[in-house]
Amino acid sequence: MSTTAQRIKDIEDEMSRTQKNKATAKHLGLLKAKLAKLKRELITPTGSGGGGGGVGFDVSRTGIGTVGFIGFPSVGKSTLMNQLTGTRSEAAAYEFTTLTTVPGVMQYNGAKIQILDLPGIIEGAKDGRGRGKQVITVARTCNLIFIVLDVLKPMSHKRIIEEELEGFGIRLNKDPPNIVFKKKERGGVNITNTVPLNHIDMDEIRAVCSEYRVNSADIAFRCDATIDDLIDVLEGNRVYIPALYVLNKIDEISLEELDLIDRIPNAVPICGHKGWNIDELKSTMWEYLNLVRIYTRPRGLDPDYSEPVILRSGHSSVEDFCNNIHSSIKSQFKHAYVWGKSVPYPGMRVGLSHILLDEDVVTIVKK
């Protein structure tokens, strides 16, 4: 671990000393590729080294989505979790109180959402210090990350946590780069682009490919990508997770300061122990989880609004809806009637491939 961490530090030091310009772009691209390969060794779990999973890091999944709380010690994660779920995560006014992953479940809009209060991370987690490595490994499996910050020092802590997560291959509030990479047996590296590439040139692309021992491949750039985007695609182990910055302890700042921090993108200011703005946090969480509520309507009866079927956006076809209720329904399916935003008129007849939207009402007709 120490040798990998040392090599990472050496490359980071060299990158910080190297001035960025046209002449050094290729060299910097190579250094970034070497760095990504070394960091992959830290991301990939080892058999017995690196501290293992540890007590409290094996969390069984419950609910339709998982929200992980990440933050420095004593920023109020445990108090906030108590507010959202009623689960008692030991809260105290000193650092490092939560030493294991504490799971809880909250009910919202008819959905069960799992909340994980992860142990406080410290700077250097991605280099294997503290419990940070295991914490971020769990974070990679979450559907949404709450980065809980002390409002009195949000910017410094925000930057450190973002760097830790980035180092572990977690990309926050980003879409995967639109780069199509296909390896082939022979023919060299063929590069095409449908948009102008303003951040990288062909020499950099070929240098990075060479570092990854990619000798023959088709690479199609469909976005104005950076060298980091290309490395992410070649690594293939990146996860793209939405994140919310939860700015806690707003009872300790003035209204003018609150107005300033309210401009931070993807942020919700709250006071956990006083319960301020928790409803706003819940509704924003729902929006970021991208969940879809579908109500059932048995033939000849009124819709059942008490227990919606919860689907993920992107997996919300009538077929997904049927499979969610029972695996046998699809084989007996004749057609469905839908009321709501996904159809041009109420009660429209649709097939299995029809995509449902939030709060649609569905009647299934069997053969």
Side-chain angles (χ1 to χ4, degrees):
M1 178 65 77
S2 58
T3 55
T4 304
Q6 186 56 50
R7 282 153 68 201
I8 286 173
K9 187 180 184 308
D10 291 345
I11 291 175
E12 285 175 340
D13 289 346
E14 187 179 346
M15 284 171 67
S16 63
R17 289 195 304 269
T18 307
Q19 200 171 356
K20 191 175 181 182
N21 56 46
K22 194 83 177 152
T24 61
K26 183 177 169 182
H27 177 60
L28 279 170
L30 269 175
L31 289 176
K32 283 181 176 179
K34 288 182 195 293
L35 192 62
K37 286 165 72 178
L38 286 170
K39 285 179 177 176
R40 187 203 314 149
E41 292 177 27
L42 294 177
I43 295 171
T44 309
T46 50
S48 55
V55 177
F57 282 89
D58 294 324
V59 180
S60 58
R61 284 302 180 90
T62 57
I64 185 74
T66 303
V67 179
F69 284 30
I70 287 188
F72 276 78
S74 303
V75 291
K77 299 197 305 296
S78 300
T79 307
L80 177 57
M81 185 165 177
N82 297 343
Q83 280 275 1
L84 293 174
T85 68
T87 301
R88 293 301 302 171
S89 177
E90 184 188 342
Y94 55 88
E95 300 203 335
F96 292 104
T97 46
T98 311
L99 294 174
T100 56
T101 303
V102 179
V105 175
M106 70 175 282
Q107 293 271 0
Y108 191 72
N109 282 346
K112 279 184 181 177
I113 297 161
Q114 186 175 45
I115 308 287
L116 298 179
D117 177 10
L118 300 168
I121 76 163
I122 56 168
E123 196 172 358
K126 68 179 185 300
D127 305 325
R129 296 215 301 272
R131 300 296 293 278
K133 180 178 173 182
Q134 297 99 308
V135 175
I136 300 180
T137 303
V138 175
R140 280 175 62 89
T141 68
C142 293
N143 304 111
L144 172 65
I145 292 174
F146 277 2
I147 295 175
V148 187
L149 299 164
D150 184 328
V151 81
L152 298 174
K153 39 190 170 184
M155 284 309 111
S156 57
H157 278 190
K158 177 176 181 282
R159 196 165 54 251
I160 290 165
I161 290 170
E162 284 169 345
E163 284 172 6
E164 294 297 316
L165 296 174
E166 283 273 322
F168 260 99
I170 295 173
R171 301 291 176 257
L172 302 174
N173 297 323
K174 287 180 186 169
D175 292 321
N178 196 351
I179 302 171
V180 180
F181 172 74
K182 285 182 186 169
K183 227 170 177 178
K184 55 187 184 181
E185 291 296 314
R186 58 182 67 83
V189 176
N190 178 38
I191 302 161
T192 58
N193 54 296
T194 55
V195 294
L197 297 176
N198 299 306
H199 306 292
I200 45 177
D201 60 32
M202 295 302 155
D203 285 347
E204 283 178 88
I205 295 168
R206 291 184 192 282
V208 167
C209 286
S210 171
E211 176 64 30
Y212 279 94
R213 293 187 170 85
V214 173
N215 302 316
S216 290
D218 291 328
I219 307 174
F221 288 87
R222 295 174 182 169
C223 63
D224 187 9
T226 63
I227 203 71
D228 295 305
D229 292 332
L230 175 61
I231 290 168
D232 282 352
V233 170
L234 292 173
E235 279 289 330
N237 62 356
R238 304 313 192 215
V239 289
Y240 296 83
I241 304 176
L244 267 179
Y245 299 96
V246 183
L247 307 175
N248 195 15
K249 306 183 183 179
I250 56 171
D251 56 321
E252 296 179 22
I253 59 171
S254 66
L255 281 172
E256 290 78 16
E257 288 170 313
L258 181 60
D259 190 46
L260 275 175
I261 66 154
D262 214 19
R263 298 174 196 172
I264 298 170
N266 305 303
V268 180
I270 64 150
C271 175
H273 72 277
K274 292 186 178 175
W276 293 355
N277 216 27
I278 298 297
D279 287 345
E280 171 76 13
L281 179 63
K282 287 179 180 177
S283 65
T284 310
M285 173 200 72
W286 179 265
E287 184 189 321
Y288 276 57
L289 279 171
N290 228 349
L291 299 175
V292 177
R293 290 162 289 177
I294 309 298
Y295 302 107
T296 55
R297 181 177 186 174
R299 289 189 80 176
L301 299 174
D302 290 333
D304 178 10
Y305 291 112
S306 62
E307 283 193 41
V309 172
I310 309 293
L311 302 174
R312 293 207 150 278
S313 185
H315 300 279
S316 63
S317 66
V318 172
E319 183 175 351
D320 293 319
F321 173 75
C322 291
N323 290 336
N324 193 285
I325 297 170
H326 197 278
S327 55
S328 67
I329 290 181
K330 186 180 151 190
S331 61
Q332 303 164 19
F333 180 88
K334 188 177 179 186
H335 54 256
Y337 295 107
V338 177
W339 293 258
K341 290 180 280 190
S342 73
V343 288
Y345 58 88
M348 180 174 158
R349 187 170 134 173
V350 299
L352 283 170
S353 60
H354 177 78
I355 302 299
L356 300 165
L357 297 177
D358 191 33
E359 297 198 275
D360 276 0
V361 175
V362 179
T363 296
I364 300 290
V365 179
K366 295 179 183 177
K367 290 173 184 169

